[in-house]
Amino acid sequence: DWSSDVCSSDLSMVLWDRTFKDIAADYPDIETESLLVDAAAMNFIRRPESFDVVVGSNLFSDILSDIAAIIVGSMGLAASANLDPSRRFPSMFEPVHGSAPDIAGKGIVNPLATILSAGMMLDHLGIADAAREVEAAVAAVLADGMVRTPDLGGNSSTEEVGTAVLEKLA
């Protein structure tokens, strides 16, 4: 019988935590830490270097990925993937920012998160060399500092940034 003060999401989090703990036990060489989303959000800001991989529910991971994107400079830099580790079902790769409808069609969307998401997909598909080339091209464009969309303090267009990445790949 369900208690009136317990909601199903509370129970699902208990199941999530127990499942994570059970799976983590199979990998004793990997250090894990279990945090509530508010503590994780605080630690993303306070000690971001302590995170390598974050495993979480869609809701909580969405919150944390937005925080992580802003810490590194822009939502336009945050690639993401929803993976099926068993590889029985398709995985999905997309920028964290989604479709950004408020700036759609203005030519100022930062394409780097989309490009980095494509790199993640290449890696997932086993084309690791191509994935590293994509990452290196994006890193080179950022290091050059010549083209920047408005979210990174520049005035370059989406096309100009994409072209700069293509040139680094060539």
Side-chain angles (χ1 to χ4, degrees), residues 75-97:
M75 291 290 284
L77 297 175
S80 73
N82 295 302
L83 301 175
D84 173 17
S86 72
R87 297 178 182 260
R88 289 181 297 168
F89 303 101
S91 295
M92 182 178 71
F93 302 84
E94 66 178 342
V96 167
H97 60 65

Side-chain angles (χ1 to χ4, degrees), residues 103-127:
I103 56 175
K106 296 181 181 178
I108 60 170
V109 173
N110 185 337
L112 296 179
T114 303
I115 294 167
L116 290 168
S117 295
M120 292 172 74
M121 181 182 66
L122 291 169
D123 189 55
H124 183 73
L125 294 172
I127 312 169

